Amino acid sequence: MSQLPKQPAEGPVPTSADVARLAGVSRATVSYVLNNNPTVRISESTRRRVREAASELGYVPHAAARSLRAGHTRTVLMPTGDHPAGPLHHRFLHELESGLRRLDYTVVQHGSLGLDADEAARAWAELRPVAVIAPGGVALTPQGIAVLRRSGAKAVITLGPQPVDGAHALVMDQREVGSCATGHLLQRGRRRIGVVMPEEPGLAPFAEPRLSGARRVAADVGALIEPLPLRYDEESAGALAARWRTLGLDAVFAYNDAYAMLLMRALQDAGIEIPAETAVVGADDLLIGRLLRPRLSSVRMELAASQPLADLVDRLVRHPGGVPERHDLLRARAIPRESS
Amino acid sequence: MSQLPKQPAEGPVPTSADVARLAGVSRATVSYVLNNNPTVRISESTRRRVREAASELGYVPHAAARSLRAGHTRTVLMPTGDHPAGPLHHRFLHELESGLRRLDYTVVQHGSLGLDADEAARAWAELRPVAVIAPGGVALTPQGIAVLRRSGAKAVITLGPQPVDGAHALVMDQREVGSCATGHLLQRGRRRIGVVMPEEPGLAPFAEPRLSGARRVAADVGALIEPLPLRYDEESAGALAARWRTLGLDAVFAYNDAYAMLLMRALQDAGIEIPAETAVVGADDLLIGRLLRPRLSSVRMELAASQPLADLVDRLVRHPGGVPERHDLLRARAIPRESS
């Protein structure tokens, strides 16, 4: 490899015409070779000559120019949410991205912090994605979906706790988490169950369906469900623990393991015995839960495999116009430990 | 707002020519108005007419077409790392993105999972970004930087623990974290200090400089630094705790709060008294550390304000060709609690 300049390379950006000239072929041939167009037969020696010329000049195809020529892009836009993704969700997104890349899509992400829902949809539409996969918590309105469709998006797909009218939905149904946690507590004989509702902005789309899942299974046996607003700080947890005995609860589903750790600490500091007086269950099945004493019961979530989902996105792009499809991705199961 | 169809909107994608026709103006005027071009004077009533026509047709500008006309894009590419960003880093990236959006850049993110460094750079180059801000942990080689420059990137900037030759560097110098944690332990009179080295892939770019920061301050007083490989699981922590007393250490800097919680639990289960026998310090200053008993000492990190950094990116784009600049973003300070 030759010595590289420390200064930015100046001079014009190499074009496919430069590659064609150096390789002694037409621009169309350069385009066919570098975009792996399978419909045109080109000899292996010509392919090699084009690739070597491109490499020598440092040329890479221009995604936007290619998409303008083709009349559509291969860009799949995955807007990012306001909150950092947890490890499970992060891995899922990365695998879905790899799956789409194998199908020759270019996946780009784009934030929407500080934009309202319709501003965000217009900003995404400017990128002319062929598909949009908007994760949970990112606002996507029917108006925004219409803007994206009119700008050429063949498939608008939500990826989150709830479907949005008019879009395909990959649903991570959070009700499963609430009903799973609550079902476990009911099995343990608990009948007065608190459900932690985080007050942090952006978590309501997850917390509300977890609560309704808890209500659903509790109703079957006439158990009480009591929503418990909680901020993720020691003061809020201390205040809740201080009035705990007035609530008369025998169990709590603490939204997730992090909130469970916070609340369990406050309850223990207030002299509440866990699980004898109050059973505690979290969600996410993080390592931290196993490090607590008593060890934290939790709910483990699993997401569907990503390659079939990439294939699904590809099908929705190639056959637009069907009725909105719903696919459920999330499975949940209780992991009983010592705290319940 | 009119009723929206549940079916995807069919028919051709509206163009700026459609908007021009409906508003009774030229395409150039549509472009000036919708791209907020400040160099052309257009009456408020014309602007309003264009905006209303665009809104009626559901037209949004086409970022790629605009950039092809302009000869350059306003796209800033921020490749994503393999690991989920922590809350501090996530907020920083979002704020930087907002700052760049205020300067009329379009920020897109793009993953590189499963690609080697040079494949990733070529994939990024296809998007023809005017600037690339590659976060820590994302491989960026001098070859990759050259590919990006030749495809028209005016500024290639790394954002991470170490600079890369030939690129501007926004450095979050992790040595600060190691020297800060170790300096605190030295002040507490400890002289035989373990430094946890996570074995998880992708963390070495953070762990290695933390270790060298620890070595630097320890050398000043002749203290011992002992690297301690550790996987983020109970088995690995248990094995380390089982041979703890043979190591003869009086303190440990545990990489971060999560690893500190893991190791502290294992040490306590093995009967090691904290801090009497071994002082423990983490990093990140997470809430979980304050929930532990003893409360975990930590290192708090702060990052530079994002708007000046957005302005810096803009300057590097507008004045390419200068020598690579280095800007240090990270400040660290010890937060002493009960564990040290």
Side-chain angles (χ1 to χ4, degrees), chain A residues 7 63 68 109 126 265 321, chain B residues 7 63 68 109 126 265 291 321:
Chain A
Q7 300 288 327
L68 285 175
Q109 291 142 48
E126 288 202 13
R265 174 82 273 154
Chain B
Q7 300 289 326
L68 284 175
Q109 292 142 48
E126 288 202 13
R265 173 82 273 154
L291 302 175

Side-chain angles (χ1 to χ4, degrees), chain B residues 186-241:
Chain B
L186 294 172
Q187 270 188 344
R188 287 283 201 258
R190 310 293 167 137
R191 288 297 179 270
R192 299 181 57 81
I193 300 170
V195 174
V196 166
M197 302 297 286
E199 295 188 330
E200 278 63 35
L203 295 184
F206 300 86
E208 293 288 349
R210 287 185 188 192
L211 175 63
S212 75
R215 285 194 202 282
R216 187 174 55 189
V217 295
D220 294 343
V221 296
L224 171 99
I225 293 291
E226 178 74 29
L228 301 171
L230 180 64
R231 281 195 321 278
Y232 190 62
D233 63 44
E234 289 176 281
E235 194 189 343
S236 180
L240 179 55

Side-chain angles (χ1 to χ4, degrees), chain B residues 82-290:
Chain B
D82 290 356
H83 282 265
L88 177 74
H89 198 79
H90 183 85
R91 198 175 61 237
F92 173 81
L93 291 179
H94 259 90
E95 287 175 1
L96 180 57
E97 181 173 337
S98 296
L100 288 166
R101 197 188 301 132
R102 276 192 286 273
L103 297 171
D104 201 30
Y105 290 98
T106 298
V107 180
V108 300
Q109 292 142 48
H110 192 275
S112 55
L113 196 78
L115 300 180
D116 73 27
D118 291 338
E119 286 170 343
R122 277 195 299 276
W124 303 338
E126 288 202 13
L127 299 169
R128 291 293 190 275
V130 73
V132 176
I133 306 175
V138 172
L140 194 57
T141 63
Q143 286 73 30
I145 294 169
V147 165
L148 289 165
R149 286 236 176 84
R150 279 195 299 258
S151 72
K154 304 288 187 196
V156 180
I157 303 162
T158 60
L159 173 68
Q162 277 132 350
V164 172
D165 269 0
H168 302 294
L170 303 178
V171 182
M172 299 175 175
D173 190 343
Q174 300 292 319
R175 289 177 301 186
E176 290 297 316
V177 181
S179 59
C180 184
T182 305
H184 165 68
L185 293 169
L186 294 172
Q187 270 188 344
R188 287 283 201 258
R190 310 293 167 137
R191 288 297 179 270
R192 299 181 57 81
I193 300 170
V195 174
V196 166
M197 302 297 286
E199 295 188 330
E200 278 63 35
L203 295 184
F206 300 86
E208 293 288 349
R210 287 185 188 192
L211 175 63
S212 75
R215 285 194 202 282
R216 187 174 55 189
V217 295
D220 294 343
V221 296
L224 171 99
I225 293 291
E226 178 74 29
L228 301 171
L230 180 64
R231 281 195 321 278
Y232 190 62
D233 63 44
E234 289 176 281
E235 194 189 343
S236 180
L240 179 55
R243 63 187 183 93
W244 193 257
R245 288 202 167 108
T246 69
L247 294 167
L249 303 173
D250 59 14
V252 59
F253 165 46
Y255 179 69
N256 70 13
D257 289 354
Y259 283 85
M261 181 177 177
L262 172 66
L263 181 57
M264 207 159 103
R265 173 82 273 154
L267 292 175
Q268 287 175 322
D269 286 351
I272 314 284
E273 213 180 320
I274 296 168
E277 194 171 345
T278 298
V280 180
V281 59
D284 286 340
D285 191 28
L286 299 183
L287 178 59
I288 61 167
R290 298 197 286 282

Side-chain angles (χ1 to χ4, degrees), chain A residues 175-188 193 195 210 213-214 217 251-255 280-283 297-299 332-335 340:
Chain A
R175 289 176 301 186
E176 290 296 316
V177 181
S179 59
C180 184
T182 306
H184 166 69
L185 293 169
L186 294 172
Q187 272 189 344
R188 288 281 201 260
I193 299 170
V195 175
R210 287 186 187 192
V217 294
V252 60
F253 165 45
Y255 179 68
V280 180
V281 59
S297 300
S298 191
V299 173
R333 65 188 168 98
I335 307 290
S340 62

Side-chain angles (χ1 to χ4, degrees), chain A residues 1 4-10 12-14 55 57-68 80-87 90 94-95 97-98 101 106-115 122 125-128 142-143 146-147 149-152 165-166 232-234 261-262 265 269 287-288 290-293 295 320-324, chain B residues 1-2 4-10 13-14 55 57-68 80-87 90 94-95 97-98 101 106-115 122 125-128 142-143 146-147 149-152 165-166 232-234 261-262 265 269 287-288 290-293 295 320-324:
Chain A
M1 196 59 76
L4 287 153
K6 288 264 183 150
Q7 300 288 327
E10 293 299 336
V13 175
S55 171
L57 293 170
Y59 171 79
V60 290
H62 189 322
R66 181 170 55 195
S67 68
L68 285 175
T80 53
D82 291 356
H83 283 265
H90 183 86
H94 259 91
E95 287 175 2
E97 182 173 338
S98 297
R101 197 188 303 131
T106 299
V107 179
V108 300
Q109 291 142 48
H110 191 276
S112 55
L113 196 79
L115 299 179
R122 277 195 298 277
E126 288 202 13
L127 299 169
R128 291 293 189 275
Q143 287 73 31
V147 165
R149 286 237 176 84
R150 280 196 299 257
S151 73
D165 269 1
Y232 190 62
D233 63 45
E234 289 176 282
M261 181 178 178
L262 171 66
R265 174 82 273 154
D269 286 351
L287 178 59
I288 62 167
R290 297 197 285 280
L291 302 175
L292 301 179
R293 298 293 178 268
R295 290 178 175 81
V323 294
Chain B
M1 196 60 75
S2 62
L4 288 156
K6 290 263 183 150
Q7 300 289 326
E10 292 299 335
V13 175
S55 171
L57 294 170
Y59 171 79
V60 290
H62 189 324
R66 182 171 55 199
S67 69
L68 284 175
T80 53
D82 290 356
H83 282 265
H90 183 85
H94 259 90
E95 287 175 1
E97 181 173 337
S98 296
R101 197 188 301 132
T106 298
V107 180
V108 300
Q109 292 142 48
H110 192 275
S112 55
L113 196 78
L115 300 180
R122 277 195 299 276
E126 288 202 13
L127 299 169
R128 291 293 190 275
Q143 286 73 30
V147 165
R149 286 236 176 84
R150 279 195 299 258
S151 72
D165 269 0
Y232 190 62
D233 63 44
E234 289 176 281
M261 181 177 177
L262 172 66
R265 173 82 273 154
D269 286 351
L287 178 59
I288 61 167
R290 298 197 286 282
L291 302 175
L292 302 179
R293 298 294 179 267
R295 290 177 174 81
V323 293

Side-chain angles (χ1 to χ4, degrees), chain B residues 14-31:
Chain B
T15 66
S16 64
D18 300 326
V19 178
R21 203 172 305 119
L22 184 61
V25 300
S26 70
R27 277 187 71 177
T29 301
V30 171
S31 169

